[in-house]
């Protein structure tokens, strides 16, 4: 198994891409620590623990820095270290440029960027270079290409790309790899909740002719978390069915 | 005992003799205590004393005595023999 003996933290793990990554990690032998705001994360952890693997859930809001600190502290107490951090938690807010409030802009930046950076600060301090540690950030095609109708969200995900590249450079010397995944249109509640005909319009631009699944993204996360990618850092891998071609 | 642990942690993280670790030893006062070593020191202290430092504490940990003050606030007892 690709992740046997690895300890991984997946944020935003109650559903969608985060839940798929958690399931894929457990299937590959990892012990998983899951966090999310909703109770779904506890249900998922119970389901995964039933398969005989270690799966723990923490409920809380990562926008509250003290929660991130408590989470990492608890993982250190339980496992002694962390091998893989998957920064998946995030929110989407639609709105034309002229119709996005500053409160919405701040909320996007606080959740998608600041919380991610703060958690990375704590998490990388309990990573051990000898265990081939890594960080996988969930960016978005909106962050690499820009997407009309979600400009503020695009900006927040572009920030995730920048942070990924900078932290890959800074942390390489400590043996920590940092990569990002930029999903295209993936079949999740977050995307399905998009207003109007946005979902249908996006589908027309996907060369492979189908919406992606959370499992499509999870497969790449497994690759980036495993030693198959041991010489890969500072990369942003698109999982978009050819949308960017 | 914790005072010794603190001194030894500084010594290991900065790669300097324990005798050089004095209360007024300050960040950036010697080439061994630069920003990279500072982060190594944070990890060393967190591991040794089983605490988690806030970013404000990391930025404010400018001397050995300041480190002791921060750790004391986090429940580390420096008075016990």
């Amino acid at each position: 198994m690709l992740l046997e003996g690895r300890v991984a933290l997946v944020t935003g793990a109650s559903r969608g891409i985060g839940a798929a990554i958690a399931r894929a990690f457990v299937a590959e032998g990892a012990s998983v620590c899951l966090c999310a705001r909703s109770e779904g994360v506890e249900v998922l952890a119970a389901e995964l623990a039933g398969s005989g693997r270690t799966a723990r859930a923490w409920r809380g809001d990562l926008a509250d820095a003290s929660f991130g600190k408590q989470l990492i502290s608890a993982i250190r107490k339980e496992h002694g270290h962390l091998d893989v951090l998957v920064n998946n938690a995030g929110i989407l807010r639609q709105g034309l440029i002229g119709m996005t409030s500053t409160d919405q802009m701040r909320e996007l930046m606080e959740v998608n960027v600041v919380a991610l950076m703060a958690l990375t600060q704590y998490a990388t301090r309990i990573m051990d270079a000898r265990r081939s540690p890594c960080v996988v950030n969930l960016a978005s095609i909106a962050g690499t290409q820009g997407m009309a109708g979600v400009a503020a969200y695009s900006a927040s995900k572009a920030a995730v790309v920048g942070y990924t590249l900078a932290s890959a450079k800074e942390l390489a010397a400590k043996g920590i790899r940092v990569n990002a995944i930029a999903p295209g249109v993936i079949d999740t509640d977050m995307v399905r909740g998009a207003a109007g005909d946005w979902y249908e319009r996006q589908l027309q631009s996907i060369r492979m002719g189908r919406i992606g699944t959370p499992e499509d993204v999870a497969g790449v996360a497994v690759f980036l978390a495993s030693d198959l990618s041991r010489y890969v850092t500072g990369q942003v891998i698109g999982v978009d069915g050819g949308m960017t071609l | 005992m914790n005072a010794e642990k603190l001194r030894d942690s500084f010594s290991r993280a900065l790669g300097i003799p324990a005798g050089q670790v004095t209360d007024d030893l300050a960040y950036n006062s010697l080439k061994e205590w630069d920003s990279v070593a500072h982060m190594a020191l944070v990890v060393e202290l967190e591991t040794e004393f089983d605490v988690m430092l806030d970013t404000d504490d990391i930025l404010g940990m400018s001397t050995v005595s300041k480190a002791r003050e921060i750790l004391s606030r986090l429940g580390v007892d420096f008075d016990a023999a």
Side-chain angles (χ1 to χ4, degrees):
Chain A
M1 286 193 275
L2 292 171
L3 303 177
E4 187 72 51
R6 310 270 280 161
V7 178
L9 168 60
V10 183
T11 70
S14 61
R15 58 188 179 158
I17 291 171
I21 290 173
R23 286 196 173 93
F25 277 17
V26 166
E28 289 296 340
S31 296
V32 291
C33 308
L34 311 175
C35 80
R37 287 180 295 185
S38 67
E39 63 184 347
V41 72
E42 292 166 339
V43 175
L44 178 62
E47 173 200 319
L48 295 175
S51 67
R53 296 285 173 187
T54 306
R56 280 279 313 270
W58 283 270
R59 278 183 71 184
D61 186 355
L62 287 167
D64 172 4
S66 67
F67 172 65
K69 181 181 170 184
Q70 287 165 13
L71 177 62
I72 297 301
S73 196
I75 291 170
R76 188 176 63 184
K77 277 191 171 64
E78 191 162 323
H79 298 281
H81 59 268
L82 179 68
D83 299 317
V84 183
L85 167 64
V86 180
N87 280 313
N88 168 71
I91 56 171
L92 172 66
R93 295 285 180 266
Q94 281 185 285
L96 297 176
I97 290 170
M99 297 181 68
T100 305
S101 70
T102 50
D103 282 349
Q104 285 176 319
M105 295 177 205
R106 287 198 181 93
E107 183 190 23
L108 279 162
M109 290 299 176
E110 193 65 39
V111 176
N112 292 356
V113 186
V114 177
L116 177 151
M117 294 192 292
L119 186 65
T120 302
Q121 284 183 320
Y122 289 119
T124 53
R125 297 215 299 264
I126 65 166
M127 288 181 169
D128 181 345
R130 293 164 298 184
R131 297 181 57 87
S132 190
C134 64
V135 178
V136 180
N137 293 326
L138 268 292
S140 165
I141 193 171
T144 56
Q145 307 293 313
M147 198 172 268
V150 287
Y153 174 77
S154 299
S156 73
K157 289 299 185 178
V160 171
V161 171
Y163 190 70
T164 299
L165 302 181
S167 48
K169 288 180 178 178
E170 189 170 321
L171 296 172
K174 293 182 176 176
I176 302 173
R177 297 181 297 107
V178 187
N179 293 289
I181 299 173
V185 180
I186 306 296
D187 189 13
T188 62
D189 292 346
M190 190 161 87
V191 168
R192 257 181 264 126
D197 63 349
W198 183 87
Y199 190 83
E200 286 72 27
R201 281 190 287 110
Q202 296 303 323
L203 179 58
Q204 289 168 12
S205 64
I206 303 172
R207 290 177 190 274
M208 290 183 73
R210 69 167 176 88
I211 300 288
T213 66
E215 290 72 28
D216 290 329
V217 180
V220 177
V222 168
F223 166 71
L224 289 174
S226 77
D227 272 349
L228 289 177
S229 60
R230 62 186 176 273
Y231 201 52
V232 179
T233 194
Q235 302 302 308
V236 182
I237 301 181
V239 182
D240 57 25
M243 270 184 98
T244 48
L245 293 176
Chain B
M1 184 181 172
N2 281 333
E4 280 176 31
K5 276 170 71 175
L6 179 66
R7 187 192 60 201
D8 292 345
S9 295
F10 267 85
S11 171
R12 278 193 301 274
L14 306 186
I16 59 175
Q20 210 176 325
V21 181
T22 56
D23 273 2
D24 55 357
L25 179 65
Y27 175 62
N28 270 339
S29 66
L30 68 174
K31 65 175 172 43
E32 288 88 349
W33 194 356
D34 59 8
S35 59
V36 174
H38 193 68
M39 289 314 299
L41 174 63
V42 167
V43 172
E44 183 77 33
L45 294 175
E46 287 184 332
T47 305
E48 195 64 32
F49 293 100
D50 193 22
V51 294
M52 206 101 213
L53 301 179
D54 286 326
T55 306
D56 287 347
D57 288 334
I58 294 171
L59 297 174
M61 198 170 67
S62 52
T63 62
V64 173
S65 62
K66 194 77 185 168
R68 183 186 295 108
E69 186 184 314
I70 291 166
L71 290 169
S72 297
R73 182 162 40 78
L74 294 172
V76 178
D77 183 3
F78 285 98
D79 295 328

